[in-house]
Amino acid sequence: RKDFNDNWVVSPAEEMFFSDEVEPVQVTLPHDAQVAQKRDAACRTKSKTGYYNPGAYTYKKRFYAEDELRQQKLILKFEGVYMNAMVYVNGDFAGQRPYGYSQFTIDLTPYLFYEAENEIKVVAKTSEDSRWYTGIGIYRPVHLYQSQLLHIAVDGVKISTPEIDEDQATVVVRTAVINESAESKRFYVKTTLKDQHGEVVATDLSPVALMPGHEKTSQQRLVISNHQLWSPEQPTLYTCETKLFEAADIYSNPERLMIETDANNAGQRTDAQQKGYHDHAIDQASHHFGIRSITLDVRKGLRINGQVVKLRGACIHHDSGVLGAATFSKAEDRRVRLMKQAGFNALRSAHHPMSKALLDACDRYGMLVMDESFDMWCINKSAFDYALSFPEWWEKDIKAMIDKDYNHPSVILYSIGNEVPDTGLRFGGSWSRKQTEKIRELDPTRYTINSINSMVSTMDQLKKTRKETQKSAKEKAEQSGGQSDQDNQQGDINELMANLAENMSKMMGLDYVVKAVEEAYAAVDIAGYNYMDSRYLEDHRLYPNRVICGSETFPDHIDVNWQFVKRNPFIIGDFTWTGWDYLGEAAIGKTEFEQGDEPSSVYGQYPWYIAYCGDFDIIGNRRPASYYREIVWGLRSDPYIAVQRPENYGKKPIKTPWSWTDSIASWTWPDYERKPVVVEVYADADEVELLINNKRIGRKPVGEANRFRATFDTIYEKGELKAVAFRDGKRIGLTHLQTASDVSRLLVKADRQILKADGQDLCYLTVALTDDQGVVNRASDRKVTIDIDGPGVLQGFGSADPKSTEYFFDQERTTFDGYVLAVVRSNQEKGTIRVRFQADQCEPAIIELAAEPC
């Protein structure tokens, strides 16, 4: 397997006739062509895509095929192309993939010219095909597989651990081998298992005879003694190395066969290598895996290795903030690492299969995964979305997801859909069963879930009920000479937004709504409840054998929901919307303030472009909701302080169900000295006490009975703001905020100092405006410029400002609440990358990074 990511060019897709083709731009994959364009207030997809226009782009790459490749197999694997990918080789159509989130392969062999240049062309097209920002183009990596005609199938190695005892574990390895030669082949499949230190712990050799044009699967059962389990707390990974040998090669070296299949003879293997016995494998593959068991029932809930696990989950979209949709291994690693540190132990992809890089990171950090297949089945949510292709492609796309996921111990759940309207229809349950049975056929080792919002499933019936109710109320009002409540409320959009959660709870309790999704839930192992926490206990009474998971929940409900999860074994966890902020669905988490008679909307008008509802903002900083969640989970003993922006004091907030308060962790408000301000304190304690410059402001109860919150209405004055938490009269935690003086420094923190010179490595540089004591000043935002010298490029530069009109690839960006983020990407040259930041009234900050050969 070779990276196939460099030396591509991209341009807007040309039309067949009378086209003035734009000069192509050279790029290294992964690449998002959409985020590279300027946003457009007149964009037809509006807030859904963050005012980024859809479009069509053509990617091309040329490569030389030597004559010796004639007797080999060349397969191109795309991890993801958004969307409607059409692939051409030397002008001829070679394959397609409508779904933008599925990996797929293209067999290059029939189309190649040898001893000549070859051209790969990929066309990606988007229209109104999504409810969120997707990116456009080859946004995930591409790999070239080169092998002999007898070879291991791509994604052909499947590893499971069906039997785990205290002193040993059985590892089953199934290897699919394809013979594309013109003669029968006899060969051996050699499998070697290694622990995390690289020591061989088990090995096996199996003979296989294979006729021309056929595929066979070799199954091997290997036993590991004194094994270590993979778990969220200790994510131990093993390595499985699979090799193919010609039978004649094995027969000619019996000594090597004996030594290499004995995991205990390390010294003899060294002797054998000195005698010249080396591997002559005709193909090989390497995979990481973990030894773990998962069990599930309504009485004990979800168990990993026999231990009950409650899912502290987050839904996440696939974009990487300032990088757009381009999927880099280091970006996915950073996201998982930070979310694990914040207390999450589970992620749900929303609403599509995860990237391979994200799964690798979840394996490393012990993050459990609910991988989700689709956001729609046969009914469109957007005008030209995947529903147009689902009836023909769903089986191929489910198989692609499972092929990608199978060897990842982090994956424990497959979700077959998100709020799919079909689930409430007469034959919606049939679609649920077809997909679930397909998953069980391909991977019986995981559980299935359907993430349903029963209000969405019965929207047509609810509209009818609403009209009938309004008609009846109007008739009664006319008879009495008054005006109906529905007429009074119909134009109050703000009130409707504020009461959306309450309205949803009422509608989901209607009998026909509950009955409509019965079969869809019966088809899967776990019932995923999207915003249906009000149904948890009643549905358990109606369906006592139903295991429930809060597959999507409002962030402000975590304290109530978590009590349900803790106290009821049949509820296995909660997944908030959302763990990490994202592009598109602009402003669904906004908090606005009094606007008179001007109507509001759950979405924001231009220049809004960020959802603004994540526990983490788009540059990776934790927001107050994240610390609140950590406290609710019982993972943080210190209290947390968040201060509502004083410019909005006394104004009525207009919120959506995904909003948090308009607060930040800052005690620097230079224009509001001696003016009123609201301070929020979160704590898992009996009481909290608030002090300003060691003067007692007040003491209030917190903890579960008070939703873990206390609010203080006080007067702002410079200095130190401190909160102290008490339990049983004793101090158990403390936190404080300090007023910053004038900005004098740019504090730069790099997440690494050394990059691989492979064109794929990233360094995240977080820049904060601080005073001379290092206190971040979040009230004096200004422009920061960046200059890069050496073997690196600027991959993205931006802030968490949800309404910024600036561009991710400019050399200058304005901080938001004191912060800005730059991402530097290596190229393929070694050397020193020198990054220089500068801002008004600050000394320049210079940081040097080393780019080293792989």
Side-chain angles (χ1 to χ4, degrees), residues 745-818:
R745 294 173 54 193
L746 294 175
L747 179 64
V748 182
K749 292 185 179 179
D751 69 341
R752 59 178 42 83
Q753 296 293 328
I754 299 175
L755 284 74
K756 295 179 181 178
D758 59 0
Q760 297 294 317
D761 211 352
L762 302 178
C763 176
Y764 280 77
L765 298 161
T766 303
V767 183
L769 304 175
T770 76
D771 63 14
D772 56 4
Q773 299 299 311
V775 179
V776 178
N777 188 321
R778 307 188 72 173
S780 297
D781 287 315
R782 63 200 61 193
K783 291 186 180 296
V784 177
T785 60
I786 184 174
D787 291 297
I788 300 174
D789 183 49
V793 297
L794 182 63
Q795 188 63 35
F797 191 27
S799 74
D801 182 355
K803 293 187 282 187
S804 173
T805 57
E806 296 173 333
Y807 183 54
F808 287 142
F809 304 98
D810 282 340
Q811 302 296 114
E812 184 178 72
R813 287 299 302 249
T814 304
T815 60
F816 178 70
D817 286 341

Side-chain angles (χ1 to χ4, degrees), residues 88-279:
Y88 304 85
V89 182
N90 294 322
D92 286 309
F93 172 73
Q96 67 177 129
R97 198 68 172 210
Y99 197 32
Y101 298 107
S102 281
Q103 63 175 20
F104 64 98
T105 60
I106 298 293
D107 184 357
L108 300 181
T109 313
Y111 305 99
L112 293 180
F113 301 136
Y114 298 96
E115 293 292 322
E117 286 277 340
N118 293 267
E119 182 187 75
I120 310 293
K121 183 173 80 169
V122 180
V123 181
K125 300 179 180 180
T126 67
S127 184
E128 297 178 47
D129 49 44
S130 183
R131 300 182 295 111
W132 57 82
Y133 177 86
T134 61
I136 306 172
I138 311 178
Y139 71 102
R140 289 178 178 171
V142 181
H143 305 282
L144 179 66
Y145 287 77
Q146 179 181 334
S147 68
Q148 296 189 26
L149 298 181
L150 175 71
H151 60 93
I152 300 169
V154 176
D155 296 317
V157 179
K158 302 288 194 296
I159 308 164
S160 60
T161 57
E163 300 158 15
I164 304 174
D165 298 322
E166 288 187 7
D167 60 341
Q168 67 178 39
T170 300
V171 181
V172 174
V173 182
R174 292 173 56 82
T175 304
V177 182
I178 302 173
N179 181 11
E180 299 193 64
S181 72
E183 57 182 327
S184 296
K185 294 285 187 178
R186 181 170 173 79
F187 59 94
Y188 282 82
V189 177
K190 178 191 170 186
T191 296
T192 303
L193 306 183
K194 296 181 179 180
D195 64 17
Q196 62 271 34
H197 306 296
E199 295 296 323
V200 175
V201 293
T203 186
D204 189 54
L205 197 70
S206 298
V208 182
L210 190 53
M211 296 178 66
H214 284 66
E215 177 179 330
K216 272 189 179 179
T217 298
S218 164
Q219 177 169 301
Q220 297 164 301
R221 293 174 60 87
L222 300 93
V223 176
I224 298 178
S225 300
N226 301 317
H227 58 284
Q228 294 190 39
L229 298 175
W230 185 97
S231 69
E233 295 75 28
Q234 188 174 351
T236 302
L237 292 173
Y238 288 80
T239 302
C240 174
E241 294 181 351
T242 308
K243 295 182 179 181
L244 296 189
F245 293 94
E246 291 274 12
D249 188 48
I250 291 292
Y251 296 150
S252 65
N253 293 285
E255 182 179 357
R256 185 179 68 189
L257 171 61
M258 177 188 70
I259 292 171
E260 290 188 342
T261 55
D262 186 347
N264 299 315
N265 290 333
Q268 292 187 49
R269 287 199 304 276
T270 302
D271 293 340
Q273 291 167 0
Q274 290 176 353
K275 294 178 182 178
Y277 296 140
H278 300 292
D279 276 352

